[in-house]
Amino acid sequence: MTASDGGGPGVDLHLELSAAGGRRAALVAALREAVRGGRLAPGTRLPPYRSLAADLGVARNTVADAYAELVAEGWLTSRQGSGTRVAERVAAPAPRSVRPTAPPPLPHDLVQGKPDPAAFPRTAWATAARRALAAAPHEAFGIGDPHGRTELRHALAEYLARVRGVRTAPDRIVVCSGAAHALRLLARVLGPADPWAVEAYGLPFHRGLLAEAGITTLPVAVDGDGARVADIPRPARAVLLTPAHQFPTGGPLHPERRAGALEWARDSGGLVIEDDYDGEFRYDRRPVGAVQGLDPERTVLVGSVSKSLSPALRIGWMCLPSALVGPVVAAKGEREPHSSATDQLTLADLLSSGAYDRHVRRMRRRYRLRRDRLTALLAERAPAVRVTGIAAGLHAVLELPPGTERAVLAATARRGVAVEGLDLYRHPDAPHPGGGAGDGLVVGYATPPERLYEPALEALCDGLDEVLGV
């Protein structure tokens, strides 16, 4: 039977009363087991006698007597004006582990891709949420539109045009739960018949989700000027690029190659998919505009707030060619199951009020200083190690001497540094650079708390010194 508080100050309570024995004994046994097993935590207030008796179909005195017996045994406490509660000294036994415990995380987190979680603009977000909820129409709390909230799509169209040079309209923006969700939807729309070209260095996760959709990926070599778009294989239906800041090697796509990618798309009937994962974070100059602005009908721009705000928000977007809007919305489904409508409304307010711009500028300064501290310490402690790519984003690549990547990873791990090697991101079908060239570390400098950042960099340099003797 389920016992509820009947509108009183207790709690909803599910109890199974045994058919054997009297009702009082069965109630005592059920309550004792609920406390012993941890379903009723210490301090939990139980329903009043009358409420529990009515829900269980027993006499009020039966409940009173059961409570009194458990109070006498020490399972419960009863005080005037406070009701009957689970005794504080009664603690549920710790659950036994059925699997070996995972090793503790390394103390110095320099893994790429994660913004500083402590920097989330809580006050600005809370203020925007209050305004957004007060202004939201009633229909915002019903079944979601698979296009995404109109307020957010209008705010994104204005913001992306102003900051990233994007040419789009609200009805050509589809809100999704992040870049991965966007790629899954595009993979579903384009289908598995034709391969996609991808940069020879990129996220294994993205290649994996395309493989799950039955899509073959063909690597395109990258260098200091980004992807070599002249080498895009002709059978490819789409090419996935990171033009603003090649991930992870760090070079921007050269202007001639930007034009070349679009020329390939026009000649082949293909599609350029632009992953604008950290396009707002350029430190050496103003951010370069998106490729999408050069040809909106041949480019899909994919963006999210995973780097600028938090990956926990699960909000991303696609700026689509007109012909793809309907198919993408159809692939997404009639209901919006992914991004919270209230979070979308809050982000729309954050964008429209200018609070998002202020936060990005603040984080740009913070991350630039962190990158500067990394490069300065390396120049002092490991001058033979070169930081490649442009000053941008939340990570940097440290170029290592050929054949040293694995040894450096082992040495830094012994010093408690979590960091990744460049080879992790190489496409499995891309040729490995000859002689072990291309070894490197991908260092994320955004995540560590400020007090731990310097120790993390020192430990990293200690690991480099052990292997390289610098």
Side-chain angles (χ1 to χ4, degrees), residues 183-251:
L183 292 180
R184 286 191 175 98
L185 291 171
L186 292 169
R188 195 177 308 165
V189 168
L190 298 182
D194 299 312
W196 287 24
V198 299
E199 293 165 325
Y201 285 85
L203 274 177
F205 174 61
H206 286 174
R207 296 194 296 265
L209 67 87
L210 293 176
E212 289 173 3
I215 294 175
T216 300
T217 56
L218 306 174
V220 178
V222 298
D223 56 27
D225 290 329
R228 297 177 183 173
V229 297
D231 298 335
I232 296 174
R234 284 291 170 178
R237 173 69 178 85
V239 59
L240 176 60
L241 300 174
T242 50
H245 184 214
Q246 201 287 320
F247 181 85
T249 60

Side-chain angles (χ1 to χ4, degrees), residues 4-143:
S4 67
D5 62 11
V11 294
D12 286 340
L13 185 58
H14 176 78
L15 294 173
E16 295 288 343
L17 301 188
S18 170
R23 305 292 280 171
R24 175 176 168 278
L27 179 56
V28 168
L31 285 169
R32 188 186 292 122
E33 182 56 34
V35 176
R36 181 188 291 119
R39 286 201 303 114
L40 290 177
T44 299
R45 187 170 184 174
L46 299 183
Y49 302 155
R50 184 178 293 106
S51 298
L52 187 57
D55 286 339
L56 294 177
V58 300
R60 179 178 179 277
N61 285 344
T62 299
V63 177
D65 290 345
Y67 280 10
E69 181 173 336
L70 291 170
V71 168
E73 292 178 359
W75 296 98
L76 305 178
T77 61
S78 181
R79 294 181 182 176
Q80 187 70 28
S82 181
T84 304
R85 297 177 182 271
V86 177
E88 290 290 345
R89 69 183 184 83
V90 178
R96 291 186 300 170
S97 174
V98 296
R99 294 180 179 179
T101 57
L106 297 176
H108 301 305
D109 187 357
L110 294 179
V111 175
Q112 67 78 31
K114 298 178 289 184
D116 181 358
F120 183 80
R122 300 184 189 211
T123 300
W125 184 264
T127 300
R130 285 193 296 270
R131 282 196 302 258
L133 291 175
H138 295 318
E139 55 87 13
F141 302 99
I143 296 173

Side-chain angles (χ1 to χ4, degrees), residues 324-340:
L324 283 182
V325 174
V328 167
V329 170
K332 195 178 179 190
E334 295 183 359
R335 295 172 182 250
E336 169 53 80
H338 299 285
S339 299
S340 160

